[in-house]
Amino acid sequence: MGGIVVLAISAILAVLAYYSSKPAFPSTNGTWVIAVNLANGRGYTACVRSYFPFCGPTNQVTAMREPIPVLLMAAAMKIYPSKYSGIVMQCLLYLGTLCLIYAILKKYDQRIALLAALLWVISKAVVAEIPDDSGELAAAFFLSLGLFYFMKGRNEPRMRNWILSGVFLGLASLSRTVLLGVAIGLALTLLLKGLNATSQTQKEQIGSAALFLASVGLVVVPWVIRNSLVFGIPVIGSTLTGYNVFRMNYFIANASFSPHYVGSTEAYQAVKQLVQGRNLSGIENEAQMQAFYMKAGLQIILQHPLQYISLSIYRFLPLWFNTSVDAAYGIKPGILGFVSVIQQAILLMGIIVGMIRNRRELWPFILCLVLGCAAYMAVDAQLRYLVDLMPAVVILAASALTDLRHPGATRFEPGRSLPAA
């Protein structure tokens, strides 16, 4: 474990050295911009005209980024007013997730726990998110915390475990909206298991599911209330959801439809054409534009369902291998891209084996990965989004080497028999 931590710190130092001569968080639509405005007394505001063409000096209230990563960045800025304090926060989330992944698997098999931690540390997709302020590392950290207490709740069914699991998965949902669907899926599965349980344990399991779901809801509700107050319309997650539904699916109506990732230049032209062709007042806020984009996107999807299905299936490739994403932004493939593809292929093969071998023990991680991937494939997918789910990815991949129902019995060790069930 010490060696893995040293390796992680080495990766962090390499990132810090690389960005010592480059501007950190160069994006104008990430969490850092909102955090700066928040820390300087300008409120939770930002203006990105490529997303919301009518934003301006009097129309900058935003919900395009979920609040937890923004608040973490604002806290870092309060400690030290520099972008590098934000990178330090990212590094802490990276190291914290490493420890949580190890803690989740340690009770099953320490060697497998170490392997999962190592897979997290050396993942090119994960390390690439350290200087990125879009919230993936915060989401992965709180997802890991939530799943840690979820697994504790299964083994030690105490109220405290289910409350903490719900709270942390709620924080994960406020880091990346897609994880709210994951949390609801876990709650519903718990509820179904409770309904199918024996009468002796049924009440307890249903109560656990209700307590877990209530905890998630209590964490998420303040954000929904805030959005209702400032926009006049309830927004559960991010106001970019509707934009992405339109941006990533608008071209299925084209006669020459070909599945691909839609880059920023292509997206800007599509949005410009859409806005110019509609009767808009020019003073719409983000929530109103979100509804506008969502309606336009869903209309196209409903008119071309087969094309949409084929595009959604295709999005598995950008989600896992970043296929066509770099090309959409005019980036030439390099050696690191090739390394990433190899890593992802190995992880994917491990996941398939791990799912089959350990589906009973690790069903929460399987459900998390399936629901998260399905949500991204339905709307928008690229490899960095998978970092939200990477704790589940590396845990399932590492578990391919053992049967977790028999702790300590690694199947790949010849001559070693499994203990009695």
Side-chain angles (χ1 to χ4, degrees), residues 30-368:
T31 60
W32 182 257
V33 172
I34 304 173
V36 169
N37 289 338
L38 188 62
N40 291 330
R42 293 191 291 270
Y44 204 95
T45 58
C47 180
V48 183
R49 292 185 181 274
S50 57
Y51 295 156
F52 307 107
F54 304 132
C55 69
T58 60
N59 184 13
Q60 291 197 8
V61 177
T62 188
M64 67 176 178
R65 295 296 178 188
E66 295 86 347
I68 296 303
V70 172
L71 294 176
L72 290 174
M73 289 292 183
M77 187 182 179
K78 283 294 186 181
I79 296 171
Y80 183 71
S82 165
K83 284 187 176 182
Y84 294 103
S85 63
I87 288 187
V88 171
M89 176 63 73
Q90 293 282 85
C91 294
L92 293 175
L93 293 170
Y94 171 66
L95 291 172
T97 307
L98 152 67
C99 297
L100 287 168
I101 289 170
Y102 175 77
I104 289 170
L105 282 176
K106 183 182 177 183
K107 80 179 189 69
Y108 292 106
D109 190 318
Q110 189 175 20
R111 296 162 298 174
I112 299 303
L114 289 170
L115 176 59
L118 177 63
L119 292 175
W120 165 265
V121 165
I122 65 174
S123 169
K124 187 265 181 184
V126 171
V127 175
E129 289 308 301
I130 293 176
D132 191 356
D133 61 337
S134 53
E136 271 77 20
L137 288 180
F141 175 77
F142 287 111
L143 175 66
S144 300
L145 261 176
L147 290 174
F148 173 77
Y149 282 104
F150 192 94
M151 298 301 283
K152 283 195 72 174
R154 291 180 63 211
N155 298 312
E156 306 169 23
R158 300 175 183 172
M159 290 179 59
R160 174 178 174 271
N161 290 329
W162 293 116
I163 291 173
L164 288 174
S165 179
V167 167
F168 288 125
L169 278 167
L171 294 175
S173 303
L174 292 180
S175 299
R176 294 291 288 178
T177 303
V178 70
L179 297 180
L180 179 59
V182 169
I184 293 173
L186 288 170
L188 292 177
T189 305
L190 271 181
L191 182 61
L192 289 174
K193 284 180 171 290
L195 292 173
N196 293 327
T198 61
S199 57
Q200 186 176 0
T201 61
Q202 186 178 71
K203 184 177 180 180
E204 179 182 326
Q205 292 192 30
I206 293 175
S208 298
L211 190 61
F212 169 76
L213 187 59
S215 300
V216 173
L218 287 174
V219 174
V220 173
V221 160
W223 175 244
V224 179
I225 293 174
R226 176 265 180 189
N227 291 335
S228 297
L229 292 175
V230 299
F231 294 124
I233 304 172
V235 177
I236 295 176
S238 164
T239 49
L240 285 178
T241 303
Y243 167 84
N244 283 323
V245 167
F246 172 76
R247 167 180 170 172
M248 295 299 169
N249 297 287
Y250 84 94
F251 63 98
I252 63 176
N254 296 344
S256 57
F257 162 68
S258 176
H260 64 278
Y261 187 88
V262 178
S264 54
T265 302
E266 180 184 350
Y268 177 77
Q269 294 300 324
V271 168
K272 183 179 178 181
Q273 184 177 0
L274 175 70
V275 171
Q276 289 177 344
R278 302 297 175 94
N279 185 22
L280 295 169
S281 66
I283 59 172
E284 282 81 4
N285 60 34
E286 281 191 9
Q288 291 167 330
M289 288 304 298
Q290 136 101 348
F292 169 73
Y293 288 136
M294 182 69 77
K295 181 179 179 181
L298 291 178
Q299 282 179 343
I300 294 172
I301 289 170
L302 292 174
Q303 291 168 2
H304 304 86
L306 295 181
Q307 291 90 330
Y308 171 70
I309 291 171
S310 67
L311 178 59
S312 297
I313 295 171
Y314 166 82
R315 277 195 278 253
F316 179 84
L317 296 176
L319 181 62
W320 278 86
F321 303 105
N322 232 32
T323 305
S324 79
V325 176
D326 286 344
Y329 288 98
I331 301 173
K332 294 182 179 180
I335 185 64
L336 290 179
F338 178 75
V339 170
S340 181
V341 169
I342 298 298
Q343 284 185 336
Q344 290 299 114
I346 294 171
L347 286 174
L348 187 57
M349 289 186 289
I351 286 167
I352 293 171
V353 177
M355 282 182 170
I356 295 171
R357 285 186 175 174
N358 297 297
R359 58 189 179 276
R360 292 183 180 178
E361 288 295 323
L362 298 182
W363 68 261
F365 299 90
I366 297 172
L367 184 64
C368 171

